[in-house]
Amino acid sequence: MPLRRRTFLLGGLAGAGAGLIAFSSASSAATYPFALGVASGEPAADGFVIWTRLAPNPLNLDGFGGMPDQPVTVEWQVANDEYFRDVVASGSTTAVRASAHSVHVEVTGLPAGRVYWYRFRANNHISQVGRTRTAPAVGTSPALTMLFASCAHYASGYYTAYRRMAEENPDLILHLGDYIYESGASGVRAHLPTREITSLADYRVRHAQYRGDVDLQAAHHVAPWVVVWDDHEVENNYADLVRGDGSPTGDFRARREAAYKAYYEHMPLRSAQLPSAENLQLYRRLRWGSLATLHMLDTRQYRMDQACGDGSQVCPEADDPARTITGTTQESWLLNGLGQRLATWDLIGQQVFFAQRLNSDAGARSMDAWDGYTANRKRIQDGWQARGNTSTVVLTGDVHRHWAANIMNNYTTQDKVIGTELVTTSITSGGDGNATDDGTSSRNPHVKFNKNQRGYVRTRTTPTQMNVDFRVLDKVTVRDYPIKTAKSYVVQAGNPGLQNP
């Protein structure tokens, strides 16, 4: 779908197809409230969430985006066509300052497995047009083209990967964490504010800066997103209410509350994910017909502090049976969902490296990943085997490189492949990278692929197999590089593990 220029409306919303004109003056642009674009997410068989935030001056440091302290009526439409000749759902909602004038509309009552277009109107301006879809009906299993990504450090490069994702025209996009970064870093571009963020206003401005990027907006405009966070949406390597470091000082509970609130305000999430003080239940399950169940995890909010001071360590404490990265409630929820066997594929969307990955001959492992919580991992792996799950794929972000691994029943003996892990590289974090790097090692024979370049992962899933393409860019410090496939694999339903196509 071609991307629309910013426009405003003369006359009624229903007749907008004939009444749109492009901005022709700076004064019009200065009052345009949809500078952060539109988005959709959380697709279900009968609907989805559509999102926008009114912010004519999104980088105002007070975090209110240039909006006055008054409610604004926001009208919305969903149509069968991009010109809105066949509107199938419409309504209005109220955007208020307490939520940074963000809008989350949960659209229901639509037929399953269909593509739709949506838009908003407020203060006589009309938004960009977004494309979205409902999930297939239970009992059907049409092929799913899905992209997943993570780690988009604004200062480290340009968002060309997001633009290339938009051009792929996928059915669904997953974002697996580090949508924003909290640091005050500058590089290819500069963060706003120019220091590490801690307050609600800070987090709102940082989200707005990222959301203002036209390449990121393009990716949001073409498909529904399903999102989870990692650490940088709050602070690097935090664990529950334990800080990753002591600087800047302050009340971390209040900081997490501010960060979670701003995250919700800027993501196409349902009201079920509304934060309550410093808590927000982000783990949830989505169904894609009878083809796939998405189990989206939160490995930050409920985890114990990293063992042995964090980092890469030889650390017997990491194997303590009491240690948890998910918390007991989320672990039970995941195992219960896996036991329901709702679809051919069980896809676990989560943040940090799941399979064992030894970093030295002495056995050093990352204490921030599942290697720092090995008993929790074993319970989950044993659980899906006991429940008969043979088409489990773990989808991972965080580590700024592409990886592909077989998940083993026993990593020491390498006895049996029980699942597959696909790790996406970053959108920009780490800069351009080095295509000649190879992090695979005989220490980790189940880890089959590594590539230190930026990009995303593309999967096409059918009832019989998943085709996997690791997509890369040669540079992100220069705009507009082409995308290419560095490596491809096939995962067969019922036969876990990576196979060459």
Side-chain angles (χ1 to χ4, degrees):
M1 182 188 73
L3 300 173
R4 298 278 188 267
R5 294 182 61 191
R6 297 187 306 178
T7 53
F8 72 96
L9 181 65
L10 300 177
L13 186 61
L20 299 179
I21 61 174
F23 279 130
S24 58
S25 70
S27 60
S28 295
T31 60
Y32 183 69
F34 299 107
L36 302 182
V38 300
S40 68
E42 304 299 290
D46 70 339
F48 36 75
V49 175
I50 56 175
W51 170 95
T52 193
R53 179 189 166 200
L54 308 182
N57 296 293
L59 299 184
N60 282 6
L61 293 181
D62 63 5
F64 292 117
M67 291 295 293
D69 186 8
Q70 61 188 46
V72 177
T73 299
V74 180
E75 297 171 81
W76 57 270
Q77 286 182 327
V78 174
N80 278 325
D81 65 295
E82 61 182 307
Y83 302 105
F84 291 81
R85 297 187 182 102
D86 183 15
V87 173
V88 294
S90 62
S92 65
T93 188
T94 303
V96 298
R97 201 178 212 214
S99 298
H101 287 90
S102 62
V103 169
H104 302 72
V105 177
E106 298 183 29
V107 182
T108 60
L110 300 176
R114 293 281 304 277
V115 172
Y116 297 93
W117 284 261
Y118 64 95
R119 63 185 177 187
F120 299 90
R121 186 179 72 172
N123 293 338
N124 291 321
H125 294 280
I126 193 166
S127 74
Q128 304 92 330
V129 173
R131 177 184 182 273
T132 191
R133 64 182 305 129
T134 49
V138 172
T140 67
S141 298
L144 166 63
T145 298
M146 182 176 73
L147 311 178
F148 65 96
S150 74
C151 301
H153 194 290
Y154 184 88
S156 294
Y158 299 107
Y159 285 167
T160 306
Y162 281 140
R163 174 65 63 174
R164 300 295 171 254
M165 291 170 72
E167 291 166 355
E168 300 252 17
N169 199 26
D171 299 315
L172 187 66
I173 292 175
L174 302 190
H175 200 285
L176 298 176
D178 296 341
Y179 186 95
I180 66 163
Y181 278 70
E182 83 286 10
S183 73
S186 62
V188 177
R189 304 188 282 187
H191 267 147
L192 288 176
T194 57
R195 50 177 167 73
E196 185 168 336
I197 55 177
T198 59
S199 70
L200 178 57
D202 288 347
Y203 283 104
R204 283 170 168 169
V205 173
R206 185 63 56 82
H207 273 282
Q209 182 181 37
Y210 280 53
R211 278 283 192 171
D213 185 280
V214 293
D215 294 328
L216 174 55
Q217 288 188 17
H220 275 294
H221 290 173
V222 300
W225 283 44
V226 176
V227 300
V228 285
W229 53 37
D230 190 20
D231 52 345
H232 288 288
E233 287 86 355
V234 182
E235 180 190 63
N236 183 45
N237 279 22
Y238 82 97
D240 191 3
L241 288 170
V242 178
R243 298 201 53 181
D245 60 54
S247 178
T249 60
D251 181 345
F252 188 68
R253 187 183 298 269
R255 180 178 177 181
R256 197 178 93 169
E257 178 177 349
Y260 283 11
K261 178 174 173 57
Y263 182 85
Y264 179 83
E265 289 171 347
H266 290 85
M267 296 295 154
L269 292 166
R270 296 185 182 276
S271 58
Q273 276 63 61
L274 268 168
S276 175
E278 76 278 8
N279 303 306
L280 186 159
Q281 184 177 314
L282 197 58
Y283 67 85
R284 63 210 189 277
R285 215 171 339 264
L286 296 91
R287 299 188 64 178
W288 197 264
S290 294
L291 179 71
T293 304
L294 294 166
H295 310 268
M296 306 302 294
L297 302 189
D298 175 356
T299 63
R300 284 293 160 191
Q301 188 174 182
Y302 312 106
R303 68 160 66 195
M304 291 179 172
D305 193 14
Q306 292 88 343
C308 295
D310 207 352
S312 182
Q313 307 283 352
V314 177
C315 180
E317 180 190 338
D319 302 322
D320 183 338
R323 289 188 55 73
T324 179
I325 192 172
T326 60
T328 56
T329 300
Q330 184 178 194
E331 180 183 322
S332 296
W333 168 88
L334 175 59
L335 291 173
N336 178 65
L338 291 169
Q340 294 177 34
R341 306 285 300 279
L342 297 172
T344 301
W345 297 88
D346 284 287
L347 308 181
I348 301 175
Q350 57 94 49
Q351 295 73 44
V352 293
F353 213 100
F354 185 83
Q356 177 178 283
R357 184 161 57 98
L358 302 180
N359 298 321
S360 74
D361 291 339
R365 300 167 287 168
S366 170
M367 295 298 100
D368 190 57
W370 288 81
D371 274 335
Y373 308 82
T374 58
N376 195 173
R377 176 174 64 199
K378 187 175 189 315
R379 289 191 298 271
I380 290 172
Q381 291 191 177
D382 290 350
W384 83 53
Q385 290 186 82
R387 288 157 175 79
N389 297 78
T390 59
S391 302
T392 303
V393 181
V394 177
L395 310 175
T396 302
D398 180 60
V399 291
H400 306 174
R401 293 185 178 208
H402 283 315
W403 297 85
N406 292 332
I407 298 172
M408 309 304 295
N409 177 63
N410 185 304
Y411 293 98
T412 302
T413 64
Q414 296 280 306
D415 61 338
K416 181 173 64 171
V417 178
I418 63 168
T420 313
E421 182 171 19
L422 308 174
V423 183
T424 181
T425 187
S426 61
I427 293 291
T428 55
S429 301
D432 292 332
N434 183 342
T436 65
D437 284 354
D438 185 357
T440 59
S441 165
S442 59
R443 293 188 298 265
N444 305 299
H446 55 284
V447 178
K448 304 300 183 182
F449 173 69
N450 170 244
K451 179 64 71 173
N452 181 16
Q453 289 182 288
R454 310 290 77 84
Y456 52 90
V457 177
R458 178 178 66 195
T459 60
R460 180 171 174 79
T461 307
T462 71
T464 58
Q465 68 182 35
M466 175 186 291
N467 291 83
V468 182
D469 297 311
F470 289 91
R471 306 281 275 162
V472 298
L473 301 160
D474 285 338
K475 288 185 181 293
V476 294
T477 55
V478 178
R479 288 188 184 275
D480 209 34
Y481 263 70
I483 196 79
K484 59 188 177 182
T485 296
K487 181 68 175 177
S488 297
Y489 287 101
V490 169
V491 182
Q492 293 179 342
N495 182 25
L498 298 158
Q499 299 184 33
N500 290 319

